[in-house]
Amino acid sequence: MSAIIKIRPLGFPWETSDPFLFCAFHEDQYPKGNGKLGPDASLQGRNIGQDFTIKDGWRMYHGTKIPGFPVHPHRGFETVTIAHKGLVDHSDSLGAAGRFGNGDVQWMTAGKGVQHAEMFPLLETEKENPLLLFQIWLNLPKDKKMVEPHFKMLWNEEIPKVTIQDDDQHTIEITLISGKLEGKSAPTPAPDSWALNPDNEVAIWTIKMTPNATYTLPKASEGINRSLYFFKGNEIYADGYTIPAHHEMILNANHDLTIKNSDTESHFLMLQGKPINETVVKHGPFVMNSQIEIREAIHEYQQTEYGGWPWPSNDHVHEVSKGRFAIYPDGNEIIK
């Protein structure tokens, strides 16, 4: 049996397999900032509030002055936000807040309901503000759908990296956001996450291969879903295929897959996990197990706004002078 089940081009958002719901990949070459955390550029010609078309290399998304995603609700799943490059300003209805980026990861359990805003502040006024970000939606099983919301930061300095040399001394670097490899384990996930149980073999890895490097992905158990997303590079050679960048490989996780890189650096995201195998009903930012539960989620949001919004604006951002930090719902603050 082939290690590769299917190869398909990447769209927006990226398609995923159970227990994941999807992955939104954002790469924007933002210009210099205007001193107010927005772009020092004209916004004419953009569909402000719904700007998802790349123009001049970047998008405003739902932002009107600052790019990003102003306040919106979630229920029934988790978001894992990998800020590979650039910064994110987080604010939520729990009173939690933070600025993270350049390798940091935010793990948020929406559970029974939370509102949050995710804005992309352009702090640099003398140079460009590039952004590269993944937001992965990880489902919650039925018995965890209505848990208390939870906010957790995985700081870049605390996320383990595994460096491997192939036989020709080319380097492969793997960052462990979830899962384990070569005796190293990722930071502990959120307390109600499907990823918390090691039997579910949830792995979220980013992989960087230097030119001409060769790497064999280790096997997982039979029945585990695994996808490898080739998001930057030229082409690779695997399982008899020549695969260009911007493609997903759906894999047999219990088969070896050896990847031979071409003559440019290549970057991948790997998502892996045991399927939850429950009915998934999605409606925008709500993910439940039935249409009745979706209606209940919408009704409760309309009635309660999941605790309301404690911040002065829907697109709340933090002071220009702030560095990386997190304030938790209990008031505890961490400054990096």
Side-chain angles (χ1 to χ4, degrees), residues 279-292:
T279 301
V280 174
V281 180
K282 294 185 284 187
H283 182 86
F286 310 113
V287 182
M288 303 301 290
N289 298 103
S290 70
Q291 288 291 349
I292 291 175

Side-chain angles (χ1 to χ4, degrees), residues 260-313:
K260 172 68 176 176
N261 194 18
S262 60
D263 58 0
T264 59
E265 187 173 271
S266 292
H267 295 258
F268 308 83
L269 173 72
M270 191 186 82
L271 299 181
Q272 169 190 293
K274 180 181 178 179
I276 296 172
N277 285 328
E278 293 178 352
T279 301
V280 174
V281 180
K282 294 185 284 187
H283 182 86
F286 310 113
V287 182
M288 303 301 290
N289 298 103
S290 70
Q291 288 291 349
I292 291 175
E293 291 170 339
I294 290 290
R295 289 195 291 270
E296 289 171 349
I298 295 170
H299 177 73
E300 186 173 336
Y301 173 64
Q302 291 170 339
Q303 296 296 312
T304 70
E305 294 187 338
Y306 295 158
W309 186 244
W311 305 99
S313 66

Side-chain angles (χ1 to χ4, degrees), residues 50 59 78 148 162 174 189 228 234 237 241 251 288 309 311-312 322 336:
Q50 293 285 343
R59 297 157 284 196
E78 300 186 285
E148 292 294 326
V162 176
I174 302 172
L228 187 66
N234 182 18
Y237 316 102
Y241 297 96
L251 305 176
M288 303 301 290
W309 186 244
W311 305 99
K322 296 285 283 187
K336 302 304 287 185

Side-chain angles (χ1 to χ4, degrees), residues 39 41-48 55 58 60 63-66:
S42 171
L43 299 181
Q44 288 188 341
R46 295 181 180 273
N47 183 18
I48 294 301
K55 179 179 183 295
W58 51 278
M60 288 293 289
T64 57
K65 298 177 181 178
I66 299 165

